Amino acid sequence: TILLSEKQAETTGGTDVISSATVNKTAVQRSDIEKAADALVSRQKDGQLVLSHKYGQTVIPADPERIVCIKLEDLALALGVDLEACQILEGYYLEEQIRALGIGSIAVDEEANTVNLEQVLSYKPDLILLRDSFEPSVYEELSKIAPVAPFDLKNTEVSLLAMGKILGMEEQALFRLEEYHEKLNAAKETLSAVSDSETAMLRVMKKEVRLYPASSNDMSRFLYANLGLTPDPMAEAYDRKESLAISMELLPELTADH
């Protein structure tokens, strides 16, 4: 059984484009990823790029110099984007790397799922990179400050390439995707000896233990869809659960080999 402590789970809240993926793209070829990214990015007659996204469309400014990033630090760092500011969480797995850049910090209220607009405004951005997990009202308020480029972090590979396209970093994005697939294939090969054994992922928290479902959660789905591991039957049953908490009485019924 894979055990994830509360601290580890907090520090892996984002998705590292190099070490993890969030959706099942095992059989998807690079050309399919490129087509999906192309569908998000178009060019107007005047040459300006337009990004289509969950909230609508955004005209991307040419050569943005003051870029602010909110909850897309994984992708931005993977591309080597020169950031003005971003969210910096204590204990976050990218914290040390971000602090080494010496850039500004933007507070995000995780419970209310809101952004400190005054902080964003203070950095005078000409482009805001935003994870599309916020309410439309947050997008609208940020759009009053600067053009906002939202991306779906759950669709990591397509979003990475689309971000590369709007920032003139497409070659870097393709290189990173190639690196990722090489590591993914190597990991699958390493795990192939146990891929037929049943696996479960538990998150140990202060007040409860959670069993991650087989396919309805981004993080655990990577184990089964991308790495080819076999989910424990109880993990499959948890796809239909509203709560991931598992009682101490039910834990002995978990028969996973790993």
Side-chain angles (χ1 to χ4, degrees):
T1 305
I2 297 174
L3 293 175
L4 189 67
S5 70
E6 184 172 12
K7 184 66 173 179
Q8 288 172 315
E10 288 173 354
T11 59
T12 55
T15 303
D16 185 350
V17 72
I18 300 308
S19 63
S20 66
T22 54
V23 289
N24 179 14
K25 298 191 185 79
T26 305
V28 176
Q29 301 298 317
R30 175 170 139 173
S31 60
D32 295 319
I33 297 172
E34 290 179 348
K35 287 177 182 178
D38 285 340
L40 297 178
V41 183
S42 58
R43 190 176 293 275
Q44 296 183 144
K45 291 182 179 179
D46 61 4
Q48 282 191 294
L49 294 174
V50 177
L51 175 69
S52 298
H53 49 76
K54 172 182 176 179
Y55 310 107
Q57 292 186 321
T58 299
V59 177
I60 306 299
D63 303 318
E65 295 181 352
R66 300 181 64 84
I67 300 176
V68 160
C69 181
I70 303 171
K71 297 186 79 69
L72 285 174
E73 293 78 18
D74 316 67
L75 303 188
L77 292 181
L79 286 177
V81 178
D82 187 10
L83 298 176
E84 193 70 26
C86 70
Q87 183 188 25
I88 305 177
L89 285 175
E90 184 177 351
Y92 183 44
Y93 80 107
L94 292 174
E95 181 189 4
E96 184 176 342
Q97 188 177 350
I98 293 173
R99 291 195 185 280
L101 298 175
I103 61 178
S105 176
I106 294 174
V108 176
D109 187 326
E110 300 292 344
E111 291 188 8
N113 203 28
T114 56
V115 179
N116 189 313
L117 299 175
E118 290 77 14
Q119 282 185 333
V120 176
L121 183 61
S122 71
Y123 294 111
K124 301 178 181 179
D126 49 20
L127 180 65
I128 300 171
L129 303 176
L130 177 74
R131 183 174 181 178
D132 70 357
S133 57
F134 293 90
E135 292 296 322
S137 58
V138 175
Y139 166 78
E140 291 166 4
E141 289 301 316
L142 288 171
S143 295
K144 296 176 183 178
I145 299 175
V148 180
F151 293 95
D152 181 4
L153 193 54
K154 294 181 179 180
N155 201 0
T156 310
E157 296 170 63
V158 173
S159 292
L160 178 76
L161 184 53
M163 183 183 292
K165 285 177 176 290
I166 68 166
L167 296 178
M169 307 178 76
E170 184 174 356
E171 285 190 15
Q172 175 68 358
L174 290 171
F175 171 75
R176 295 296 265 172
L177 287 174
E178 185 176 345
E179 269 194 329
Y180 161 67
H181 283 291
E182 287 177 356
K183 291 188 177 184
L184 176 62
N185 291 334
K188 286 182 66 176
E189 180 66 26
T190 300
L191 293 170
S192 61
V194 297
S195 61
D196 291 333
S197 304
E198 292 177 354
T199 303
M201 179 178 176
L202 295 176
R203 178 179 177 182
V204 180
M205 305 181 70
K206 292 179 181 179
K207 296 183 178 180
E208 65 183 16
V209 177
R210 293 181 181 179
L211 172 62
Y212 276 70
S215 62
S216 59
N217 176 271
D218 303 326
M219 188 158 50
S220 55
R221 184 165 59 227
F222 172 70
L223 298 176
Y224 309 120
N226 293 69
L227 290 178
L229 298 178
T230 301
D232 181 271
M234 193 178 290
E236 293 182 318
Y238 263 61
D239 274 331
R240 300 180 293 277
K241 295 275 190 178
E242 291 187 7
S243 172
L244 300 184
I246 181 171
S247 67
M248 294 297 105
E249 291 75 21
L250 280 179
L251 267 179
E253 298 182 21
L254 187 65
T255 59
D257 300 300
H258 307 284

